[in-house]
Amino acid sequence: MSVFSTYLQLGFFHIFNLQAYDHLVFLLALCAPYVLSDWRRVVALVTSFTVGHSITLALATLGFVQYSAGLIEVLIPITILLTCLVNMSRAGRDFKRNQPIVVTLPNVLAAVFGLIHGLGFSSYLRELLGQNTRPVLELLAFNIGVEMGQLLIVALILVLGFIILRVFRAARRDWVLVVSGAAAGIAVILLLGNFTD
């Protein structure tokens, strides 16, 4: 197996994994306001997040950025909580269909929050790389793997939302509030856990 495919798989299974539950909850919160027909917006949103985390993942892995792991562990649940609060404040509102897909507040927030999550990924990747000082190929493959994992998770969330909204006839506003509320609850537990350890 090539180095590229190895790190591609590592990136994919790093995100598509219950041990990455904080990132999974963030993706759940990120996608909560959207339905299956919004898939282009969701792909743009997830890619904005990937761009953000790829930047800090590369900078931290290559040693250009130093950070406090404890601070990142606190900031990650805060990003989830803020995303949930934005969702809840906008629940029930329709999106402007003529609004550009890329330049929207959710995409900007996803990219900014991605910067924080990238630092969370970097400690794991640095352990994998060991003494490799120029892991450009590995970084690229890992990021592509993470993006593939994220898109699969998002597809599952959108399909679940489709079933709940179409088959069980739930109101879209209720779906957004319930999913965002559950994600916010998990975020609060994660946040409090950082102060009780």
Side-chain angles (χ1 to χ4, degrees), residues 59-141:
L59 291 174
T61 303
L62 296 171
F64 293 115
V65 172
Q66 302 297 320
Y67 64 94
S68 161
L71 178 62
I72 297 304
E73 290 300 316
V74 169
L75 289 177
I76 286 175
I78 289 174
T79 65
I80 299 168
L81 196 53
L82 290 174
T83 303
C84 293
L85 293 174
V86 169
N87 291 349
M88 290 187 226
S89 71
R90 300 175 71 195
R93 296 186 201 170
D94 286 332
F95 295 107
K96 296 177 183 173
R97 296 294 171 191
N98 58 354
Q99 189 177 23
I101 289 179
V102 177
V103 185
T104 63
L105 177 62
N107 289 51
V108 172
L109 285 176
V112 171
F113 291 165
L115 296 172
I116 295 166
H117 285 250
L119 295 174
F121 290 143
S122 67
S123 56
Y124 169 77
L125 186 55
R126 275 201 312 257
E127 286 176 18
L128 290 175
L129 291 169
Q131 300 300 313
N132 191 340
T133 56
R134 293 193 179 276
V136 176
L137 183 66
E138 292 88 340
L139 272 168
L140 177 64

Side-chain angles (χ1 to χ4, degrees), residues 126-162:
R126 275 201 312 257
E127 286 176 18
L128 290 175
L129 291 169
Q131 300 300 313
N132 191 340
T133 56
R134 293 193 179 276
V136 176
L137 183 66
E138 292 88 340
L139 272 168
L140 177 64
F142 188 83
N143 278 314
I144 293 171
V146 168
E147 175 76 344
M148 289 169 60
Q150 288 176 162
L151 290 174
L152 180 55
I153 290 161
V154 164
L156 294 173
I157 293 168
L158 290 177
V159 168
L160 177 63
F162 178 83

